[in-house]
Amino acid sequence: MAGTAIHGGLVWRVGTLVERRRETATAHSLVLDVPDWPGHDAGQHVDVRLTAPDGYSAVRSYSIASAAQEKRLELTIEELADGEVSPYLAETAAPGDPLEIRGPIGGWFVWRPAQTEPVQLIAGGSGIVPLMAMIRTRAQAKSAAPFRLLYSVRSPQAISYANELEQRVHDDANLGVTFAYTRSVPEGWARAPQRIDATAIMEAAFAPALRPSCYVCGPTPFVEAAANLLIAAGHDADRIKTERFGPTAGGS
Ligand SMILES: Cc1cc2nc3c(=O)[nH]c(=O)nc-3n(C[C@H](O)[C@H](O)[C@H](O)COP(=O)(O)OP(=O)(O)OC[C@H]3O[C@@H](n4cnc5c(N)ncnc54)[C@H](O)[C@@H]3O)c2cc1C
């Protein structure tokens, strides 16, 4: 797999959008058929290239949401209102459209079914995408590795994959999901809206003594804050892997 990851990352392939699904008011999942897709590991991402009729092109990175065992590629795009690429992908791209894809990319921020240790996932907003690939890959592999997800979102309406997460938790005693809300909370929720803090980590995450592998993904400031909280709680820095969703490459 490592070999295909490296070689696959160099080639642009033309995929076809076969399905789009609304996740939230601002996020859509796109399912793609990509010919000769070399396969991927959970946690990897692809580059997507859009090219205008005048030849101008823009490239952005998107994490893969689909399980490593899936032949089709699923991406979940959060629309940034003033963005160049995400509004097209999230709102305009339609089934049947071609889409240029390069990947899979990244060999560090990955979870493989051979791993049996507890896994702590921490997502901020669209940072859930590669962590969802890990949850799906674990389920397809019938892995018993204990997984916990702490998912920070603005509001209950901003949760991607909400039904699927609920179902998976219902079906699997070794999967735990805790939500943290930063702007508005569900009715009856015990805490006021707030960013994740030491208490949230203490209540929701595996104890450091269990030596979980930690995967943290989201906007850069979120990732830095969450990784610092894990370290302050006693987790080893070398067991914390991070993926930052900062702005990526521009146009040409
Ligand atoms: C490894 C990696 C994986 C990623 N995976 C995903 C994913 O699965 N889903 C997803 O929706 N996005 C993901 N992103 C972010 C994505 O690559 C783009 O940055 C995002 O879609 C914005 O692109 P745009 O062209 O619409 O905005 P741009 O035209 O690039 O930017 C518009 C404005 O938004 C700001 N901005 C750009 N990117 C972000 C951001 N991520 N957060 C906040 N503000 C931003 C810019 O500074 C600018 O002010 C990932 C980024 C990386 C590096």
Side-chain angles (χ1 to χ4, degrees), residues 9 29 90 100 108 111 120 123 134 136 143 160 162 166 180 216 225 249:
S29 287
E100 276 190 293
W108 163 251
W111 180 83
Q120 182 62 53
M134 295 178 190
R136 288 169 166 170
S143 158
S160 283
E166 191 181 340
V216 184

Side-chain angles (χ1 to χ4, degrees), residues 195-209:
R195 296 186 166 180
I196 61 166
D197 57 7
T199 307
I201 296 286
M202 197 181 68
E203 288 177 0
F206 283 116

Side-chain angles (χ1 to χ4, degrees), residues 104-236:
I105 300 168
W108 163 251
F109 191 82
V110 296
W111 180 83
R112 298 188 177 94
Q115 294 176 234
T116 55
E117 76 282 6
V119 169
Q120 182 62 53
L121 308 173
I122 303 188
S126 52
I128 185 64
V129 179
L131 308 186
M132 196 62 196
M134 295 178 190
I135 290 171
R136 288 169 166 170
T137 298
R138 170 186 172 279
Q140 288 223 16
K142 300 197 180 346
S143 158
F147 262 43
R148 282 190 189 171
L149 166 68
L150 173 57
Y151 183 4
S152 174
V153 278
R154 291 179 177 203
S155 67
Q157 296 73 32
I159 297 171
S160 283
Y161 322 114
N163 294 339
E164 182 180 339
L165 282 172
E166 191 181 340
Q167 188 63 48
R168 289 190 184 281
V169 169
H170 178 268
D171 294 346
D172 185 346
N174 280 324
L175 173 66
V177 177
T178 304
F179 296 105
Y181 300 100
T182 59
R183 301 274 173 89
S184 66
V185 298
E187 228 180 279
W189 194 252
R191 306 181 78 181
Q194 63 185 110
R195 296 186 166 180
I196 61 166
D197 57 7
T199 307
I201 296 286
M202 197 181 68
E203 288 177 0
F206 283 116
L210 294 170
R211 299 183 52 75
S213 290
C214 302
Y215 295 85
V216 184
C217 185
T220 302
F222 173 89
V223 168
E224 281 165 11
N228 287 336
L229 286 167
L230 285 169
I231 290 167
H235 292 268
D236 288 344

Side-chain angles (χ1 to χ4, degrees), residues 10-96:
L10 301 176
V11 183
W12 284 104
R13 294 182 169 83
V14 180
T16 304
L17 179 55
V18 292
E19 187 190 331
R20 51 181 296 126
R21 205 170 52 241
R22 179 175 287 283
E23 297 290 350
T24 69
T26 50
H28 278 86
S29 287
L30 306 183
V31 181
L32 299 154
D33 254 344
V34 183
D36 304 321
W37 179 245
H40 63 275
D41 284 325
Q44 290 188 297
H45 66 274
V46 293
D47 284 342
V48 176
R49 179 165 68 186
L50 300 184
T51 305
D54 67 0
Y56 173 84
S57 70
V59 177
R60 296 290 183 274
S61 301
Y62 291 99
S63 293
I64 301 169
S66 35
Q69 299 89 340
E70 292 291 336
K71 296 246 178 308
R72 284 180 164 170
L73 216 53
E74 184 180 316
L75 312 178
T76 302
I77 317 291
E78 176 76 36
E79 180 184 358
L80 298 184
D82 61 342
E84 202 177 2
V85 170
S86 61
Y88 173 81
L89 293 176
E91 293 297 337
T92 308

